[in-house]
Structures are given as C-alpha cells and as structure tokens.
Amino acid sequence: MLALLNPEQQMFEETANRLARDLAVVNTADLKTVDRANAYWQLAENGLLALRMRIEGKPLASGVEVSLAAQALGGALVPAPFSASGVLAVELLALAGADEALIQELSEGTKRCGLLLKRDLSALADVADAESVVWDAEGAELAIGLDRSKGEGQLALVKLDSGFEAVEAADLTRAMMKRTGAVSAEPVGSPLSDADMRKWLALALVTVSADLVGVLNGAYAGVLAYTKERVQYGVKIGSFQAVQHLCAEMLVDIEGGRDIVSYAAWAVDELDPDAALLAAREAKAFLSGIARPVSETVMQVYGGIGQTWEHIAHIYARRAQTDALVFGGADVQRDAIADALLGGH
C-alpha cells in the first residue's frame, strides 16, 4: 500500500477538516444551541453523504476518504449522522442492489436512515429483536436492519414513526432510539452474500474506528493547549514531567491508532473481504482498547475542571465510549480475530 495520501486525498482532508471546524461543538452549551439540521445539510451539500454512492458499479470514494471524513467530523464532535445515514446505510443498500432512488435520497440528505443495532450495539439487529436500538438516528425516518425470516443476509427497512422513542444516550452528539413496541418492516434489495456482509462490516468498523481517532485526537489537542496556558505554582503545568509523560503516552496511542486505521481503510477496497475485515477488526480492537484510558487521561490532565458537566472533556469521553461499543468492543474483535486466524479452535 501507499502510506502517503495522494494530492486529491490531501485536498479532500483539508476540505473535510475545514467543514468540520465550521460545524464543531466547542463547548457544552453548543449542544443545546447548535443547528443539527443545518449541520446535516452542510454534509449533504459538500458531498460527504454520497461518498459510497456507486457510479458504474464503483463507489465515488474509497475507504481512505471515508476514514478522513470520519476523523475530521469526530475530532470536531460534529452532531450530524454521517456514519449511519451517510455512509453505512448507503453502502448496505448499494451492495443489496436496492432502489437507486432511495440511495439517491440518502446521499442527498432528503431522507435519513439510522442503523438498527442490538441492544449492546455490537452488530446489526434482526427486525424481530424486541430490544433493538437505532444508532445515529438524528432526524431519521427509517432504520435499516436484518430480516432473517426472509433470509440470512436480507436487509429490511423499519419505519420509525411508531414502535420507537428517542432516549437520552451516553453520546450527546448523536441521537439514539429504543424499541417500544411492534414495528413495520419491509425487505429491501436482494439478500447479501457472506462476502458482501464481511465487506460492509469492514467499512463499518473502519468508519467508527476513524471517528474514534478523531475524537481522541480532538480531546488530546484541547488538553495539550490547556497545558501551555494553565499556570500552577507559578509555572505552566506543561513544564511538569508527570504531565509531559501523560501527554506523550496519549500521543503514542492516538498516532498508533491513526496508523492502524489508515491501513484498514486502504484494505476496504484493495483486499479481499476476509483480509479487509481482519484489518478492520484489528483497528477496532486497538481503538476500542485505548478509548477509555485516553479519555480518562485527558480529564486527569485537565484536573478538577475536567470533571465538571460544564467542560467539553466529558463530551469527548461520551462519544469515545460509545464508539468503542458500536459493532463490538475490543474483546469482541479479539475473539473474532482469534477465530479467523485459528479457524475457531
């Protein structure tokens, strides 16, 4: 693989970072005043929701571009459903050969679709699962899940006008709904093959892992700036060796995560589904493993102010902890990696 971004990818990264800064949540008060609908439309108008649309059978953007966008949006805590409605639902529907009109609506932002997940967020849920939740559901009219009564890889669209209600999730930047009753589900597209499901899951794990890289890097950047301003005992706290060590350890973890996600993002479109999924699981295992220690270290370096509800640190921590669970945490991924490498023995 080519480890460096090409010129087009560098321009895309700059554009994504600039857009993310414009839509960023920079303090806890923003969560109540930010125009989430406008943030979503900005993603649509700038083409980020259409990254996995197909043109002549090929996606407009690779896993690398998806990863760059997810890192930018995660780092700025952008409160818009890029992952579910913009990338992963489109990818599922495209792989299933679903109606092009629906895919177009999702890509243009005129319709939104969350992901129907198991209660523990570890995988797509069956529409018959009475404890399922909808993740990344801001403004969503539909959710996409599995209808195993119609076939193992059969997708189904669930209408969210009844049978679900909004809940206050740990992640305050992305909406979640829980199931409360009977739902209306309609099969969509052709059943996905095992290879297609593995291909999609690889992209899903990369997208969430990249968001985690962005979140942790955004939290780290904020606390690093704080160490250069906060004065204690007459000197800036960044001069204390203990603080320097904490920051250095966080940086090593985050940059390690960035590297492993970069490889997994490249693998999504360049390797076979099994190899791509293995790389994506390794990335998700690593990032899920560092999500809590890095988040806690950020709050520790901030000191007392970092423990308050008014401080942005816990917003980063909440998003990081949710990302760590979505599509399975470190233990889930390591078990799956062991099964893949050892044949289930």
Side-chain angles (χ1 to χ4, degrees):
M1 65 169 286
L2 181 63
L4 300 177
L5 300 179
N6 62 38
E8 290 78 12
Q9 289 169 336
Q10 291 175 5
M11 291 177 62
F12 177 82
E13 182 180 37
E14 292 170 2
T15 300
N17 283 329
R18 186 164 55 248
L19 176 62
R21 286 193 297 270
D22 290 342
L23 304 176
V25 171
V26 297
N27 56 62
T28 55
D30 285 348
L31 291 170
K32 296 181 179 180
T33 61
V34 67
D35 188 341
R36 298 188 183 217
N38 176 65
Y40 186 73
W41 282 113
Q42 289 293 321
L43 298 187
E45 290 177 1
N46 284 275
L48 296 190
L49 304 182
L51 292 180
R52 295 303 286 188
M53 271 195 70
R54 268 45 173 186
I55 299 296
E56 297 182 354
K58 296 185 64 176
L60 287 173
S62 70
V64 173
E65 284 85 55
V66 170
S67 172
L68 294 174
Q71 288 183 51
L73 299 175
L77 298 175
V78 175
F82 164 78
S83 296
S85 194
V87 173
L88 302 182
V90 168
E91 180 78 356
L92 274 174
L93 294 170
L95 289 171
D99 183 10
E100 288 289 338
L102 174 59
I103 296 174
Q104 186 75 27
E105 287 178 315
L106 294 177
S107 299
E108 293 175 347
T110 54
K111 186 166 286 187
R112 304 191 199 183
C113 183
L115 292 180
L116 190 70
L117 301 182
K118 294 181 178 179
R119 185 178 181 181
D120 63 1
L121 307 182
S122 64
L124 278 179
D126 194 304
V127 292
D129 183 353
E131 294 189 334
S132 58
V133 298
V134 183
W135 174 69
D136 212 6
E138 183 71 38
E141 309 151 67
L142 303 167
I144 190 166
L146 296 171
D147 187 352
R148 291 191 173 90
S149 69
K150 303 292 185 180
E152 189 60 29
Q154 180 63 58
L155 301 178
L157 290 175
V158 178
K159 295 181 180 180
L160 300 178
D161 54 355
S162 63
F164 289 89
E165 66 178 21
V167 294
E168 184 175 348
D171 180 359
L172 300 181
T173 63
R174 290 177 295 193
M176 187 173 291
M177 305 179 77
K178 70 174 182 179
R179 186 161 172 174
T180 57
V183 299
S184 173
E186 179 180 347
V188 59
S190 302
L192 294 178
S193 66
D194 288 343
D196 281 341
M197 285 300 296
R198 291 194 294 274
K199 183 177 181 179
W200 177 80
L201 183 55
L203 178 66
L205 291 170
V206 163
T207 303
V208 178
S209 297
D211 189 89
L212 244 176
V213 170
V215 171
L216 296 178
N217 189 64
Y220 169 76
V223 79
L224 183 66
Y226 180 76
T227 67
K228 299 175 182 179
E229 300 170 353
R230 177 74 167 97
V231 174
Q232 199 167 24
Y233 304 114
V235 296
K236 295 176 181 177
I237 64 171
S239 66
F240 300 152
Q241 191 175 61
V243 172
Q244 292 172 0
H245 284 179
L246 290 172
C247 290
E249 289 167 2
M250 285 192 288
L251 181 61
V252 168
D253 281 344
I254 294 167
E255 290 305 310
R258 193 192 308 276
D259 287 345
I260 194 171
V261 167
S262 294
Y263 174 74
W266 170 84
V268 165
D269 299 297
E270 300 297 331
L271 300 183
D272 65 76
D274 287 333
L277 180 55
L278 181 60
R281 287 195 185 281
E282 290 169 348
K284 186 60 163 58
F286 183 87
L287 267 300
S288 293
I290 68 171
R292 180 172 178 175
V294 170
S295 298
E296 290 180 345
T297 302
V298 165
M299 299 177 81
Q300 180 182 354
V301 173
Y302 273 121
I305 192 175
Q307 317 305 313
T308 64
W309 289 117
E310 292 77 14
H311 200 274
I312 195 68
H314 77 96
I315 309 301
Y316 281 107
R318 285 165 173 262
R319 183 155 171 159
Q321 292 304 301
T322 301
D323 276 345
L325 295 175
V326 174
F327 305 123
D331 289 344
V332 170
Q333 305 307 329
R334 288 168 185 151
D335 286 346
I337 291 168
D339 287 344
L341 296 178
L342 302 176
H345 300 295

